[in-house]
Amino acid sequence: MSARLNPSILSADFVNFERDFGTIANCDLIHVDVMDNNFVPNLTFGLPMVARMQQITPKPLDVHLMIANVDRWAVGYAETGAFSVTFHAEASENPVKLARALRAAGARAGVAIKPGTDVETFLDELAEFDQLLVMTVEPGFGGQGLIEETLSKVTKARRRIDAEKLDVWLQVDGGVDETNIERIAQMGADTFVAGSAVFKAEDRAKQIENLRDLANLGLSHRH
Ligand code: DX5
Ligand code: ZN
């Protein structure tokens, strides 16, 4: 298992995405935060922007939908060619049904849970998803501190993924930086979103390498 490092473009320059994508070219996937000022109290962009992003980078897009009524909208993102589409369980009437529709549309299907949402309900359904996103901050804004209590969900999910030998990526998003990424990897996360930690760095490419190296170190020391 090796770590994936996905910079969140929530911290990028919104009128210079093409230029900023160039500064993170050594990343694994590009994490694209879609917010609707409804499911979360912040607003970013929607389907036409994501479709356009797809055209300006060869990198796979890791779309994170923080939108209400997601059963209506998520498949459209898969149809733009997004490599991965992750929606919030709290915003879906039927997460398993939606995941099946995303896979049928050719995307990897991810399910995300907010800090207050229990992971247990999803452990029995993990095989239906390609990624579980454990939010380590309240979704909505970059630059927040990681909520420690969320990490027990990473440990629980990793235990189940390993026990059932599932091919499910375990992603964390929010407050991930060089001070905690190794420890989170040691708990079993394999896919790391980092917004401010990457975009604030003077040399973003070097910071991506640094974060991924630390994560791989943590993965190699898993107990
Ligand atoms: C928060 C978003 C994150 C955010 C992470 O709701 O889902 O992807 O950009 O930013 P940092 O890494 O700065 O916490
Ligand atoms: Zn995100």
Side-chain angles (χ1 to χ4, degrees), residues 8 31 33 64 66 133 135 173 193:
S8 161
H31 185 82
D33 286 304
H64 177 194
M66 284 160 279
L133 166 50
M135 285 302 297
D173 179 9
V193 177

Side-chain angles (χ1 to χ4, degrees), residues 2-3 28 52 58 66 87 97 123 132 142 172 174 181 185 208-209 222:
S2 64
D28 293 282
R52 181 74 185 112
M66 284 160 279
F87 61 91
K97 186 175 167 205
L123 295 181
L132 172 67
V172 285
I181 193 167
I208 289 168
E209 292 304 327
R222 278 183 50 216

